[in-house]
Amino acid sequence: MLVAVAIAWSAVAMPQNVLSGDDAKDNSWYAEQYAFDGRYSLTGFELKHKEASVPFIDEYGQFMYKEWPGKIHTDRDLLLAREEEEALLQSDLGPATWNQYGGWKNGPKQKATGHFRVEKIRNVWWLIDPEGALFWSVGPVRVSATSGETPLVGHESWFASLPDRESPLAEFYDTHDALLRPYYERWKQTKTFDFSGANLYRKYGPKWREHFMQLVHKRLRAWGMNTIANGSELAITAMNRTPYVERIEVVSKPLAGSPGLWRPMSDPFDPSFRDELKRQLALRHRDVGNPWCIGLFVDNELGWGGPGDVARYTLKAPGDQEAKHAFCNFLKEKYKSIDALNDRWQSSFPDWQAWLANRELPGEDANDDLLAFSAVFTETYFKTIREEFTNDAPGLMYLGCRFAGIAGTEHIVKTAANYVDVLSFNIYAKNVDTMRLPEGVDKPVLIGEFHFGALDRGPLHGSQVVLKNQEERAAAWTQFANSALNHRQIVGMHWHQYGDQATSGRFDGENFQNGLVDVADTPYKETLASSRKTGNLMYRARYRRTVFCDGDDLTWGEPRFKPSLYAALPEDMFGPDALCYDKARKILYLSVPNFIRGTNGLCNAGSFLARVYPNGQVQKLLEFPLIDGNYVGCMGMDLGPDGHLYVCDMQYFSHPEYQSRVLRVVMEDGQPTGEVETVVQGLKVANAVMWDERGMFVTDTILDLPGRYGSGAVWLFEREEILTAGRNGADVLRVAKQDDPRQIIIEDCDDIGNGNNCGADGITKDSNGIYYFGNYGDGAMYRFIFDETGCPVVEKIHQGGTLFNCVDGICYEVDTNRVYITDSSENSIWALKPSSWGEPVTFELLWENEDTTGEGGLLDLPCECRMVEGQLVIVNQDEGVGAAGKNQQTDRPYSLSVMTVQ
C-alpha cells in the first residue's frame, strides 16, 4: 500500500488537488497516493524506500522518513531540550530598550492614555503603548498548545503509535483548538488527537499547561516579540504579561448569495448583525479598559469580491433578505419608478415586488448601480461596527477585518478607512515593498498574517511561501521585517503561527511548516535568531525609517551617502582623532594620538600632527615631543585668531587625575615650527576645542563629580588670556576641578545601559550664533546661547539613547546649513538642521554600518568630521571598544572616509 507523505489540503487560498474515487465522496481531508522515485517531488524529502508503507507518523507526530537537527526520538530528548532552553532563557531577558509592554523605553515619549492608540509622528504611523512609548507590534498568531491537533477517522493506520486510552496522554484525544473547533465540526472531524499537547505533557509533566503558559511570555520576550496575536488561547492573554490582539466574528444572518471564503458574508442590514456584534463585545468585557489589549479585529478574510460584487451577491439572495430590501429602497429613491429603472437597466420588471423576487443578475447597464450599492453595503458594515465599538468598547481600537491580501480590495479599503483605527491585511509575500493603500487613504496598517516555510524539517508542506531550508527562512524574516519597518503606514507584523500544524494535517488537511516551534515544542533557532535581531533594532530602525539587513555589507541610510575611502594612513599612524581645515590655505590637518601603542601588533610610535591631501596622500608635519615624560594625547584642535593651532592634549589614559592640557602648536605659513607650548593645565579629559569672538571653548568629557553617574563640562577661556598664556614667559592657565568661573556648563550622563558614563564632547556654532555640544556617554545633545548678562542658556535637543547613543565629534558647515554628528559607538553620521532658538530641530541619518575594517571607506568608529571643498571628511579612530559599541577590534587600514552631502 502506498502512503502519502504530504497531505492534500483544501486550502483557503491555495488550489486544491483533484479528488477521485472514495476521496471525492465526502469533505474530509485525504491523502493522495504517489509512486516514489527516490524523492517525493512536492516535499523534497528523501525516503527510505521507493514505496513507503504505513505508518509514516511517529509517536511524537513527526514524519518518520527524514532526519533533521533537533528531531525528537525519545522522551529523554525532550527533557534535554527543555534543560538547554531553560538555561538560555535565564540570561536572555529580551531587548533592554523595551518597557514592560515592549514599547521603546528610551524613545521619545508621547501622551500616555493608559491604553493603546495610534499616532502619526514625523509622517510615520506608530502604535503608542499605555505609558506613551512608541510601540511596533511583532508576534505570533494562534499562541496555543494545540496546533498539532489532527483528525483520526479513517487514518489510524498512518500513526506508528497512539497513546492508550487509559494512559495520562489520553486527555489529548479530547483537547481542541477553540478558534478552529467550529471548522472541525463543520467538516465532521471531531475525533482527533493533539500531538503538540501530548509532547508538552511529556516535556513538562502533569502541570504542563501552567508551565507552557508561563513559558510563552518568557519565550516571546527573549525572541524579540512583544505581541500575542489573533486566535491565541484566552488564558494566556489573560495573564496580562504580553500585549495582545484578538478577533471577534459576527456570525449573524448570512447574505444568502455570497460565496464567502471561510463563511458567507453577514447581512449588515439585518438586526441580527448588530445584536450579534453587541453580544460578542459583551463577551470581551475583560478587554475593554485593559491596558494590555491593543485592540480587536472583527471578522477574518471575508469574501468581498471585486467592485460591485457585494451588490451582485445581494441580487442572488431571496426577497426576504434585509440587504435586498435595502438595495430596493436605494433604487426606489434614485429612480422613483420601476419604469425608470427598467429603462436604465434594459429590464422588464412589472413592479418592485418582482424586482425583489428576481435572483438573476442584470446586464452591464446596471453596473453603476451595483457599484453604488456595494459602497452602501460596505459603509453599513463598517459604520455599524464603529458605532458599537464607540458605545460598548470605548477606548478599544477597532483593527479592521483582516483583508485577505490587498490586491483587489481597494474599493473596500477606501470605505473601511473612514471607520477603523487600523487597517489589517494578511499578506503572504517575501516583502511589502509594493504594498500601497488606495490614493487618498492614510491609515496605520497591521500585517495580520505572514509566514515562510521550508521542507528540510517537520511537516510536509512548506506553507504559503516555500523556501529551501531554515537558513533561507531566517533570512526571509529579516527581509520582511526590513520592508515592514521601512513602510511608513505599517505598525506591526504578526507571524502565522506559533506552532507547526500537524504533519498529518488539520481539519482541511493543511499541514504547513509555519511555526516558530515544531510539533515537539522545539524552537526553530535560525528564524528566532532573526526575530531577536528585529526586536533589538526595530525601534531605532523604524524611527529613522532605515533598513537593517543581513549580508557582508550591513548598512543604514541612503546609497547616495555611502562613504568611500579618502585616505589610508601609514602603518605607524593608527587611532587618528580630529580634523582642522584651514580654508584660506586649503590645508586639512589631522591629529593622531596613537593611544593604543604596543597592542594588537601595533608599533610603539609617538603622537603626530599630519596633513592630508585631496589625493589621499598623508604627510607627517610634526611628531609631538614628550611633555613631562609623557606622550601627547592630541585630540580636538582649532586654529586660533593668532594663526596658531590649539590642540587638546588628553592625558587621562596616562594620568587620570586632572593632568590634561591645551597645547599651542606654533605655526608659520600653515606649517608647524616644531615649537609646542602648554596653554591650559588641570583638565580631566580635554577633548574638543573651538575658537570664536568670545574666546576658546573646550569640552571636558569626564569630571568624576561625587554622586553623579557621569558628568562633563564646557569651558570658556577669554581670548586675551589664552593668546598670552604660556608665551614669552607668561604663566600657563591652571583650572580648578570645581567652582572655576571658566567652567560655564556642567551636564550629566544618563545610564542608557551601555556602560558608558562619559560626558561632554564635540562643540560647534551655527550661523545664527547658537552653540552645540553633545554627550559621549549617552548621545544627548544640547544647544546654548548667552543671555544679556553673559550667562549660557542651555536646551537639550536630543534625549540620550533615542536616535543615537554617542556624540563624539560635531561640526557646523555654513554651505549646507547643517550640524554633522559622529556617533562612534554605532558607526554612524547624522545631520542636524538648525532652527531659530526655541524652535524644534530635525535630525537625519546619513549613514550607518556594522563593524568593518574601514576598507573601502566604510565607517570604522568615526570620531570627527569636517567639510572640505564640498565633501564631508570623516576620521575613523578604529579603536576596539568592546561592549560599548560596534567596533570590536583595531584593524588595518587606518583610514579617513569621505561622503558627498550636498
Side-chain angles (χ1 to χ4, degrees), residues 601-895:
L602 302 175
C603 63
N604 195 7
S607 306
F608 297 101
L609 175 67
R611 177 177 181 178
V612 185
Y613 292 87
N615 63 2
Q617 179 186 353
V618 179
Q619 175 192 10
K620 293 178 185 177
L621 298 180
L622 170 72
E623 181 171 355
F624 283 93
L626 299 180
I627 299 180
D628 297 331
N630 297 312
Y631 287 106
V632 167
C634 50
M635 297 186 72
M637 54 186 174
D638 194 18
L639 284 168
D642 53 4
H644 302 312
L645 199 59
Y646 289 79
V647 181
C648 285
D649 174 16
M650 198 275 278
Q651 287 293 309
Y652 182 77
F653 294 149
S654 302
H655 296 283
E657 288 304 314
Y658 294 92
Q659 295 192 37
S660 292
R661 298 169 282 230
V662 178
L663 306 176
R664 179 190 297 118
V665 177
V666 179
M667 308 288 286
E668 287 185 3
D669 296 324
Q671 299 292 317
T673 64
E675 188 177 357
V676 178
E677 303 168 341
T678 299
V679 178
V680 178
Q681 287 184 334
L683 300 169
K684 183 79 170 184
V685 177
N687 206 325
V689 61
M690 182 194 72
W691 275 92
D692 77 351
E693 67 279 0
R694 289 182 178 272
M696 186 179 74
F697 293 83
V698 175
T699 59
D700 200 347
T701 305
I702 298 178
L703 294 183
D704 288 341
L705 297 179
R708 297 188 177 184
Y709 173 75
S711 55
V714 177
W715 298 80
L716 173 57
F717 300 93
E718 292 183 1
R719 177 188 177 100
E720 291 307 317
E721 68 175 345
I722 290 294
L723 293 179
T724 58
R727 301 227 78 187
N728 302 319
D731 291 339
V732 172
L733 295 178
R734 297 184 182 273
V735 299
K737 292 190 292 186
Q738 297 183 48
D739 301 324
D740 192 310
R742 303 180 186 93
Q743 197 179 79
I744 61 171
I745 300 171
I746 298 177
E747 50 82 33
D748 291 334
C749 176
D750 289 334
D751 186 355
I752 63 171
N754 63 359
N756 193 332
N757 65 345
C758 295
D761 194 0
I763 189 163
T764 195
K765 176 186 176 184
D766 71 18
S767 57
N768 294 320
I770 299 174
Y771 298 84
Y772 302 82
F773 72 97
N775 191 308
Y776 187 89
D778 65 10
M781 198 158 174
Y782 305 83
R783 64 180 179 177
F784 64 94
I785 55 175
F786 291 90
D787 64 17
E788 61 276 6
T789 67
C791 293
V793 180
V794 184
E795 177 190 16
K796 180 182 279 190
I797 55 176
H798 175 254
Q799 180 64 42
T802 304
L803 291 175
F804 37 88
N805 296 334
C806 170
V807 174
D808 197 329
I810 55 177
C811 69
Y812 172 75
E813 297 298 341
V814 66
D815 292 342
T816 58
N817 190 31
R818 294 292 187 274
V819 175
Y820 296 99
I821 306 156
T822 56
D823 178 357
S824 58
S825 73
E826 298 298 321
N827 284 340
S828 64
I829 302 291
W830 290 78
L832 177 158
K833 183 179 181 181
S835 64
S836 300
W837 184 258
E839 296 295 322
V841 299
T842 59
F843 295 88
E844 178 188 11
L845 176 69
L846 300 184
W847 187 262
E848 179 175 330
N849 53 249
E850 288 295 300
D851 191 8
T852 71
T853 66
E855 187 174 1
L858 290 181
L859 303 182
D860 195 11
L861 202 149
C863 56
E864 289 278 359
C865 58
R866 287 291 184 273
M867 190 74 80
V868 179
E869 301 302 311
Q871 291 187 305
L872 194 67
V873 178
I874 305 136
V875 181
N876 295 302
Q877 194 171 61
D878 187 25
E879 291 188 15
V881 295
K886 289 179 177 177
N887 204 52
Q888 297 300 302
Q889 62 183 0
T890 301
D891 39 36
R892 295 179 175 88
Y894 320 120
S895 62

Side-chain angles (χ1 to χ4, degrees), residues 108-110 117-128 132-134 488 542-543 545:
K109 292 296 185 291
Q110 312 304 312
R117 60 185 183 86
V118 290
E119 185 174 341
K120 192 176 182 182
I121 301 168
R122 297 169 61 204
N123 204 36
V124 176
W125 282 104
W126 286 89
L127 291 164
I128 308 298
L134 302 182
R488 69 180 187 85
R542 173 70 174 172
Y543 197 68
R545 285 194 67 216

Side-chain angles (χ1 to χ4, degrees), residues 51 82 96 106 158 164 271 362 383 460 506 641 672 730 783 799 847 878 897:
E51 293 185 358
R82 171 183 175 174
N106 298 326
W158 291 9
D164 189 275
K383 183 179 180 181
L460 302 164
R506 62 177 190 177
R783 64 180 179 177
Q799 180 64 42
W847 187 262
D878 187 25
S897 303

Side-chain angles (χ1 to χ4, degrees), residues 139-140 143 216-217 220 226-230 232 236-237 242-246:
V143 179
V216 159
H217 297 284
L220 294 183
N226 59 9
T227 304
I228 296 176
N230 164 69
S232 297
I236 296 175
T237 59
T242 304
Y244 65 92
V245 297
E246 258 306 334

Side-chain angles (χ1 to χ4, degrees), residues 43-45 66 68-69 430 451-459 462-463 465-477 495 513 515 524-528 530:
T43 69
F45 275 119
K66 176 71 177 180
W68 59 82
K430 290 187 177 181
H451 69 209
F452 314 98
L455 299 169
D456 56 340
R457 298 180 204 170
S463 77
V465 182
V466 184
L467 304 171
K468 291 181 180 179
N469 51 44
Q470 297 307 308
E471 288 74 22
E472 279 198 6
R473 193 176 187 236
W477 174 289
W495 174 275
Q513 192 266 311
Y524 286 103
K525 295 180 181 180
E526 297 87 351
T527 297
L528 295 173
S530 290

Side-chain angles (χ1 to χ4, degrees), residues 35-53:
F36 299 108
D37 185 17
R39 180 178 294 271
Y40 185 61
S41 60
L42 296 185
T43 69
F45 275 119
E46 294 180 0
L47 304 177
K48 289 184 177 180
H49 309 287
K50 288 186 177 181
E51 293 185 358
S53 60

